[in-house]
Amino acid sequence: MARTNPLTGSTTPPDDGEGEAGVVVKTKPRTKRPPLYKVLLLNDDYTPMEFVVHVLERFFGMTHAQAFEVMLTVHKKGVAVVGVFSHEIAETKVGQVMDFARRHQHPLQCTMEKE
């Protein structure tokens, strides 16, 4: 219903909620980044170093030199982070490495932990 101004006698259209009276601010909901997981390769006394280098090249896309350095870290320190991924990708990488090691009859261990 239109309103009449008592001083001027003019009428104004009813407020439809989209006038200058209110400000509508649209905000995008902020999504949290998914947690990341470290994929770890563990040392053992039986898996050949060449096999570990091959695994790092094949499943983690490392060059031969990078893979060799990481393999030495695993050998000397007992464990090394070989990548950081989302949960699903980390889980897949761990499964791929473990399956590949079993098929080749090596006891190589690969795990993941939250970063």
Side-chain angles (χ1 to χ4, degrees):
M1 178 175 197
R3 287 185 266 168
T4 305
N5 184 331
L7 298 175
T8 62
S10 65
T11 59
T12 58
D15 185 9
D16 60 358
E18 293 186 13
E20 296 175 10
V23 177
V24 177
V25 177
K26 291 184 179 181
T27 59
K28 288 185 178 180
R30 292 192 180 218
T31 54
K32 285 177 67 176
R33 289 184 157 251
L36 296 177
Y37 291 80
K38 298 184 282 190
V39 175
L40 308 166
L41 212 53
L42 308 174
N43 188 44
D44 64 72
D45 295 332
Y46 304 101
T47 304
M49 292 179 176
E50 296 81 22
F51 183 79
V52 175
V53 169
H54 179 67
V55 164
L56 293 168
E57 291 171 347
R58 178 172 177 161
F59 297 107
F60 298 96
M62 295 183 188
T63 65
H64 186 75
Q66 290 170 324
F68 190 81
E69 288 298 316
V70 172
M71 177 276 299
L72 285 177
T73 301
V74 172
H75 181 69
K76 291 176 183 175
K77 295 188 176 184
V79 66
V81 175
V82 295
V84 179
F85 308 97
S86 68
H87 185 270
E88 293 78 16
I89 293 173
E91 200 170 52
T92 300
K93 297 272 186 194
V94 168
Q96 288 173 329
V97 170
M98 295 296 288
D99 289 345
F100 190 70
R102 295 304 159 262
R103 277 185 288 156
H104 290 86
Q105 300 177 348
H106 295 299
L108 182 64
Q109 293 291 304
C110 186
T111 62
M112 60 187 262
E113 66 181 37
K114 199 169 187 177
E115 190 171 50

